[in-house]
Amino acid sequence: MNWPAILTDKLNVAYPIVQAPMFGVTTPAMVAAAANVGCLGSLALADMPPEKCIENIRATKLLTSLPFSVNLFVNDIPKIDERLKARYASTKNFIERLAAEHHLELSLPSMEQIELISYQEQVDAILGEGIKSVSFTFGNLDDPTIEKFKNHGVVLIGTCTSVEEAKLLEQSGIDIVCVQGIEAGGHRGSFVGDRIPQVAGISLLSQVRDEIKAPLIYAGGIYNARTLLAAQTLGAQGFQVGSLLLGSTESALKEFEKEKLQNVDESEIVLTRSFSGRYARGIKNKFIEAIENSRYILPYPYQNKLTGELRKLSKENQNLDFVSIWLGQSVNGYRRSSTGDLLQELIKEVESHSPSR
């Protein structure tokens, strides 16, 4: 296969394959393993405080000397008012009672105890570590941040879930657009309008390709040569894989969570706002069933912060009913190989389906 050169040149990698930045799953070891086989490793920083960003970047650098990207959450943070305080207290009480009914004793943080970090607070830490590509989701960077990154030679990768979002990213000077189909695992990157676009990747990717000129990475359902080549046919020059790596040795998922992946059925995979307040695709469980259609879902990031301690305790107790396991619609076996081996196998399979480079 003649791999598209536009992204390999721009991102300084051998292959235009991106290891998805899956917060809670991605580890420095996973990022380094992807980078060491010529792909773009992506370190999920989410809303970590600056010192934690530096710690994770440096941990990754100890494992690879090759380039890798970092990924940010660029969502707006709703202002706290009396109504939100009352909703938070009500949701906190409901979740504590629900957990107790299932033999999980915990005390969730009050609204005053949670720490909220904006992406603007992370920028200097990232630049100070010499990172040269930054991806982001949940919104678009503000103009001063875009300018600051550009002045330091940083390649910017924005996430869209609609044609309108893709156009906005390109118009603001974002270098590369990651097109996220509805089948992708994890959180939706939607940021225009109140309702998330539910457009399948095959339709969205081709529509975005017709409307913008920026290079495209496609995310959603890629796990073998056929799915990758289909994305290329529809206009993608880069290919992001996430669910394929969930069972890898470098994945941060616990053993009991990886065992669940081995037996997951496609009917269990749903879109839900229950854990974070934003729609994400993952495995349905008792928590989702209890919360999803209730009034106990706060706007992101408050719901996410509130349920964090619940998920942590559930992991410690190996309780599948109260953890969030995000994955896409393409059930793929979730092999227990290393990230590097899984990516190299994908590369080899793609190249065997088409003329050599």
Side-chain angles (χ1 to χ4, degrees):
M1 173 182 180
N2 292 316
W3 294 95
I6 186 169
L7 289 186
T8 55
D9 292 346
K10 191 176 286 285
L11 297 169
N12 194 24
V13 293
Y15 302 99
I17 295 176
V18 181
Q19 162 257 310
M22 302 171 286
F23 188 60
V25 173
T26 302
T27 60
M30 178 184 285
V31 177
N36 287 336
V37 296
C39 299
L40 182 66
S42 301
L43 183 64
L45 299 181
D47 59 351
M48 291 180 182
E51 59 272 16
K52 195 70 175 177
C53 294
I54 293 171
E55 178 184 328
N56 278 269
I57 291 170
R58 291 182 178 177
T60 307
K61 286 180 177 179
L62 290 175
L63 302 173
T64 184
S65 60
L66 294 169
F68 59 91
S69 179
V70 300
N71 180 263
L72 307 178
F73 289 171
V74 299
N75 54 283
D76 293 327
I77 299 177
K79 292 183 179 179
I80 296 176
D81 56 22
E82 293 305 314
R83 183 172 179 271
L84 183 56
K85 287 181 180 179
R87 287 182 61 198
Y88 187 98
S90 178
T91 302
K92 175 179 180 293
N93 290 336
F94 178 84
I95 293 175
E96 286 176 342
R97 292 197 306 271
L98 180 65
E101 290 172 7
H102 292 83
H103 312 293
L104 289 172
E105 300 296 333
L106 78 163
S107 177
L108 299 178
S110 66
M111 180 167 272
E112 292 73 25
Q113 291 175 311
I114 63 175
E115 181 182 19
L116 299 176
I117 303 294
S118 69
Y119 72 88
Q120 290 94 341
E121 298 175 68
Q122 301 170 311
V123 172
D124 287 342
I126 292 166
L127 292 175
E129 292 302 308
I131 298 297
K132 290 302 180 183
S133 67
V134 173
S135 64
F136 55 90
T137 190
F138 294 172
N140 195 4
L141 302 169
D142 60 38
D143 290 340
T145 300
I146 292 173
E147 182 178 8
K148 192 169 189 176
F149 275 132
K150 294 271 190 176
N151 288 341
H152 286 80
V154 175
V155 175
L156 297 175
I157 307 170
T159 305
C160 78
T161 63
S162 70
V163 173
E164 182 180 2
E165 290 171 351
K167 289 180 176 179
L168 289 172
L169 291 169
E170 183 178 56
Q171 289 165 8
S172 64
I174 302 307
D175 301 290
I176 301 167
V177 174
C178 180
V179 179
Q180 186 190 44
I182 192 67
E183 53 272 81
H187 282 90
R188 305 293 295 149
S190 306
F191 62 94
V192 173
D194 295 328
R195 300 182 65 181
I196 65 165
Q198 299 197 41
V199 185
I202 192 170
S203 298
L204 180 60
L205 178 56
S206 56
Q207 290 177 49
V208 171
R209 179 71 290 158
D210 288 341
E211 294 293 334
I212 71 171
K213 295 180 180 179
L216 303 181
I217 295 170
Y218 176 68
I222 294 178
Y223 70 99
N224 60 13
R226 291 189 303 276
T227 51
L228 187 150
L229 292 168
Q232 184 187 35
T233 299
L234 293 169
Q237 291 113 334
F239 316 94
Q240 183 163 290
V241 295
S243 294
L244 176 67
L245 307 176
L246 290 175
S248 70
T249 54
E250 296 85 2
S251 166
L253 290 183
K254 301 296 185 181
E255 183 63 27
F256 79 100
E257 294 172 304
K258 292 180 180 180
E259 288 178 3
K260 174 60 181 176
L261 291 174
Q262 302 298 310
N263 302 298
V264 69
D265 183 87
E266 61 183 16
S267 64
E268 298 178 85
I269 303 172
V270 298
L271 274 175
T272 178
R273 296 186 301 132
S274 301
F275 281 103
S276 71
R278 288 189 65 103
Y279 277 106
R281 186 176 295 285
I283 299 176
K284 180 171 60 177
N285 57 18
K286 288 182 179 178
F287 182 78
I288 292 173
E289 291 173 345
I291 296 286
E292 185 59 31
N293 295 311
S294 75
R295 58 189 174 90
Y296 299 111
I297 299 180
L298 302 166
Y300 184 92
Y302 299 106
Q303 184 82 0
N304 192 54
K305 294 294 184 181
L306 182 59
T307 64
E309 189 63 29
L310 172 66
R311 286 172 280 159
K312 179 182 177 182
L313 182 62
S314 298
K315 278 181 178 283
E316 292 172 357
N317 285 271
Q318 300 187 25
N319 187 330
L320 286 168
D321 288 323
F322 293 89
V323 294
S324 54
I325 304 178
W326 306 129
L327 74 165
Q329 288 182 324
S330 293
V331 176
N332 63 69
Y334 311 105
R335 287 174 294 156
R336 303 295 189 93
S337 302
S338 71
T339 295
D341 287 345
L342 290 168
L343 292 173
Q344 285 182 312
E345 288 171 17
L346 176 62
I347 292 166
K348 184 177 180 180
E349 183 186 359
V350 171
E351 294 183 337
S352 71
H353 276 69
S354 54
S356 60
R357 298 178 70 189

